[in-house]
Amino acid sequence: MTMVRSKLISIGGLVAGTAGLLLLSACGAETAPVAQNTSASPSSSAPDTSAAPSASSSSPAPAPQPVQPPAQAPKNDGLCKAGDVKLSIRDSDAAAGTVYRKLVITNASGHPCTVQGFPGISYVTGADGHQVGEAAYRDGSKGGPVQLANGESAIADVGFVNVRNYDEAVCKPTETRGLRVYLPQETASNFVPVQGLGCAGKIPGNQLTVKTVHKG
């Protein structure tokens, strides 16, 4: 009788243990989907952007660019420029070893311009147009302004000294290609082709002379 009771107690304990395991398994099966649903919730995985500043609000505004004033056109002083004229040489007369010719300055600009004073004149030679000897000496006083309408001309008298009258060793005679001419108060030059003979050396005199411009 005692042995039968012990077996019944063992069987009962085994049944109770088995029932506990089944109960735990059942509970786990019921709670697993709940935990899975919680981790997949959109409210828990998506970041909260309600307080984040936008990219445009955090970037500094571009600095305003300074307004540049419009470029001003160069002032027209009314003087004849190198590009306004055509130059030529006109023969004149000779006296005591000097040939006088007229430098003719013709306004070809299409508008009136003014010339006043002494042109700058010098001999030039070679492919590079380098100067030969001293520039023309200014002879006399400066005249008044000469206004030239389009097509009108002014004249400056130029003296060409016969450089063969000088000592050759001192003069160093050099064939020239023409004249470089600067209009009064002008920094750009014009070229007048005229063959001649100049002194490359320093001579005791003036190989070229020029008088003030006057109306032609």
Side-chain angles (χ1 to χ4, degrees):
M1 186 70 177
T2 302
M3 185 179 296
V4 172
R5 184 178 299 173
S6 298
K7 289 183 178 181
L8 290 175
I9 292 173
S10 299
I11 293 171
L14 179 61
V15 171
T18 304
L21 290 175
L22 292 174
L23 179 61
L24 290 175
S25 299
C27 292
E30 291 177 358
T31 57
V34 175
Q36 188 176 14
N37 291 339
T38 302
S39 62
S41 174
S43 61
S44 62
S45 61
D48 185 6
T49 59
S50 60
S54 62
S56 59
S57 62
S58 61
S59 301
Q65 296 297 324
V67 178
Q68 298 293 337
Q72 295 183 352
K75 183 180 179 181
N76 184 2
D77 54 13
L79 297 176
C80 297
K81 308 298 183 183
D84 295 335
V85 299
K86 292 182 179 179
L87 305 183
S88 60
I89 291 289
R90 185 190 305 166
D91 288 334
S92 184
D93 53 9
T98 300
V99 174
Y100 289 94
R101 295 175 177 171
K102 297 183 183 297
L103 173 65
V104 182
I105 305 168
T106 303
N107 179 10
S109 65
H111 56 77
C113 66
T114 301
V115 60
Q116 179 182 10
F118 299 91
I121 300 177
S122 59
Y123 283 125
V124 291
T125 194
D128 59 351
H130 64 271
Q131 183 171 322
V132 177
E134 298 291 332
Y137 172 78
R138 296 179 177 181
D139 183 10
S141 58
K142 179 180 178 179
V146 179
Q147 296 182 350
L148 300 176
N150 184 52
E152 289 187 330
S153 299
I155 290 175
D157 297 305
V158 182
F160 297 80
V161 173
N162 184 358
V163 298
R164 296 191 184 278
N165 293 335
Y166 292 104
D167 182 1
E168 187 172 332
V170 175
C171 173
K172 300 178 182 177
T174 303
E175 294 285 342
T176 58
R177 293 178 50 236
L179 302 174
R180 179 182 292 123
V181 179
Y182 289 91
L183 295 181
Q185 305 175 62
E186 171 66 312
T187 57
S189 64
N190 296 81
F191 174 74
V192 182
V194 53
Q195 290 186 339
L197 189 67
C199 288
K202 180 66 176 179
I203 58 176
N206 303 299
Q207 62 178 350
L208 292 169
T209 60
V210 60
K211 293 186 177 182
T212 190
V213 173
H214 57 88
K215 196 66 175 285

